[in-house]
Amino acid sequence: MFAAIREQIDTIFREDPAATSILEIILCYPGFHAILFHRLAHRLYKAEVPILPRFLSQISRFLTGIEIHPGATIGRRFFIDHGMGVVIGETAEIGDDVLLYQGVTLGGTGNEHGKRHPTLGNNVVVGTGAKVLGSIRIGNNVKIGAGSVVVRPVPDNSTVVGIPGRVVRSRAKEGVLDHGMLPDPEAQEMLELQQRVDKLEAALEAALRQLTPKD
């Protein structure tokens, strides 16, 4: 248990340049508190202890603003940055070295039973306010831009942005998600459409000039 707590503290130091001391992390990081609560609640859930795991998760939600169902499976070195509004569903599975920002939802798409929440691979970064919905797999080394809504599987080493989320880049740089440098697929489509219209107008003008009788 102490080794897991130490690893979690080291993860926060690695991911958050604002972290200045162990005491600050222990007292002031809701993501740290939420993960510790979840580790305990998940063990009780796996042991089929009634009510108590959900009760612990609700206490954690009240104290941290982060809701993690005790049934969710979370790997090592998981970090929630700030965390307010994060929701992780019962059948969600999260790999190692995953980073979530505030407002992220790993949710379902309806009232279906069984596996209904996403599976995230290793080294995944999910930006602020992004929603990953349904029983889909997000591959290893995937970066999801802020505000994206992802409802389809994403291959390894990809960057996803938009509503609905679309792959805009493959071979994503490991551990880096520069929100200010993400491409805008809708703006790119509009630019390509405008370029096609310009070419068509130029071709039409040239054809009209050829058809116009010369004096």
Side-chain angles (χ1 to χ4, degrees):
M1 176 64 72
F2 287 109
I5 293 173
R6 180 71 229 191
E7 183 178 64
Q8 195 64 46
I9 290 172
D10 291 341
T11 299
I12 294 173
F13 275 126
R14 184 183 72 244
E15 297 289 353
D16 188 359
T20 59
S21 69
I22 293 176
L23 183 61
E24 179 186 23
I25 291 172
I26 292 173
L27 295 179
C28 304
Y29 274 69
F32 175 74
H33 305 149
I35 293 166
L36 294 186
F37 267 107
H38 174 72
R39 300 297 189 197
L40 175 58
H42 183 67
R43 288 190 177 187
L44 296 173
Y45 180 88
K46 296 294 285 185
E48 299 183 351
V49 175
I51 305 298
L52 185 56
R54 288 299 305 274
F55 182 65
L56 286 175
S57 73
Q58 291 303 300
I59 292 175
S60 176
R61 177 188 180 188
F62 176 78
L63 294 175
T64 67
I66 299 167
E67 181 172 349
I68 308 176
H69 192 285
T73 302
I74 298 177
R76 298 174 60 187
R77 298 177 295 278
F78 176 58
F79 179 45
I80 302 173
D81 195 357
H82 295 289
M84 180 62 69
V86 166
V87 177
I88 300 175
E90 178 183 12
T91 61
E93 299 177 44
I94 299 174
D96 298 333
D97 301 295
V98 171
L99 168 61
L100 305 185
Y101 288 92
Q102 65 269 26
V104 167
T105 298
L106 305 182
T109 56
N111 294 323
E112 67 272 20
H113 296 280
K115 182 73 167 80
R116 60 191 185 278
H117 299 103
T119 296
L120 275 58
N122 300 324
N123 300 303
V124 173
V125 180
V126 186
T128 302
K131 313 302 178 187
V132 186
L133 305 176
S135 181
I136 59 175
R137 184 182 185 278
I138 307 301
N140 298 323
N141 307 310
V142 167
K143 317 304 171 191
I144 298 175
S148 300
V149 178
V150 183
V151 293
R152 294 185 178 88
V154 179
D156 294 349
N157 307 306
S158 301
T159 298
V160 179
V161 299
I163 304 174
R166 287 176 282 183
V167 175
V168 295
R169 184 183 300 156
S170 59
R171 306 304 306 173
K173 292 178 67 178
E174 184 173 348
V176 175
L177 180 60
D178 189 341
H179 297 284
M181 297 299 291
L182 289 175
D184 184 341
E186 294 183 1
Q188 182 63 33
E189 287 185 3
M190 291 296 293
L191 177 60
E192 292 174 358
L193 180 60
Q194 183 61 52
Q195 290 172 344
R196 291 181 63 187
V197 169
D198 292 341
K199 289 180 180 179
L200 288 172
E201 288 181 344
L204 180 59
E205 290 178 2
L208 289 175
R209 283 196 296 268
Q210 290 179 354
L211 293 175
T212 301
K214 295 182 179 179
D215 295 335

